[in-house]
Amino acid sequence: MSNLQKHLITKGECEVLAHEYDTSNYAAINKIRPSAKPDSKTYTYELEVLQDYINLIRDGLEKEGVKNKGIKISLGKYPESGFTDRLDPKYKGYQTVFFTAVDLDEEKSKNESDKKKGSGGLPGLDFGQLCPP
């Protein structure tokens, strides 16, 4: 059974979090970027893509015998060159978020360098829509 209710927040709470980010982290990031190119701050994915990814990692983690399955959302930044030709060129140099499968029991016990490895050979998820640009 899901404990979804523990994780839901109101629209007002969403606005507080967004405001805190805008006035602190986002402001600091944009101080070092060209003024005409503020960094991305929202990331949109199609619901069906997210559901398909959830299904993929649920099945993959199940095959690995993982009981406490999760998704890690990490911050990243697209390099200016040499990443992949699937990247929309307008996103080069912008921050992004990406998703990886995680065994939540292992996540609690590993050190920081081990946590970056993700879970098994399961792929991560990226390439949503960034705004801006």
Side-chain angles (χ1 to χ4, degrees):
M1 183 67 123
S2 169
N3 59 1
L4 176 62
Q5 290 300 318
K6 290 180 176 179
H7 298 275
L8 299 177
I9 62 176
T10 67
K11 182 179 179 184
E13 290 166 331
C14 291
E15 290 168 357
V16 167
L17 296 177
H19 176 75
E20 287 294 318
Y21 178 76
D22 287 348
T23 59
S24 60
N25 300 41
Y26 194 61
I29 290 168
N30 286 319
K31 280 183 181 178
I32 61 170
R33 291 182 62 90
S35 61
K37 292 186 79 172
D39 209 346
S40 55
K41 73 174 188 174
T42 63
Y43 313 92
T44 307
Y45 292 83
E46 295 174 25
L47 186 57
E48 286 192 27
V49 170
L50 287 175
Q51 186 62 58
D52 288 346
Y53 184 68
I54 290 168
N55 295 341
L56 174 86
I57 64 168
R58 181 188 311 120
D59 294 346
L61 290 172
E62 189 70 31
K63 287 178 185 173
E64 292 179 10
V66 174
K67 302 278 186 246
N68 198 3
K69 302 166 194 66
I71 296 175
K72 183 190 308 187
I73 303 170
S74 300
L75 294 170
K77 181 180 176 186
Y78 292 125
E80 292 290 340
S81 63
F83 183 58
T84 177
D85 60 0
R86 295 182 299 150
L87 177 64
D88 186 331
K90 73 181 178 184
Y91 293 156
K92 290 179 178 180
Y94 283 89
Q95 67 181 351
T96 187
V97 295
F98 60 96
F99 303 83
T100 52
V102 65
D103 177 335
L104 294 173
D105 291 331
E106 282 188 14
E107 186 74 3
K108 292 175 189 172
S109 64
K110 288 184 175 180
N111 65 39
E112 202 58 37
S113 63
D114 288 339
K115 289 181 185 181
K116 295 177 183 173
K117 294 178 184 174
S119 181
L122 296 173
L125 177 73
D126 190 15
F127 301 120
Q129 294 178 322
L130 309 184
C131 184

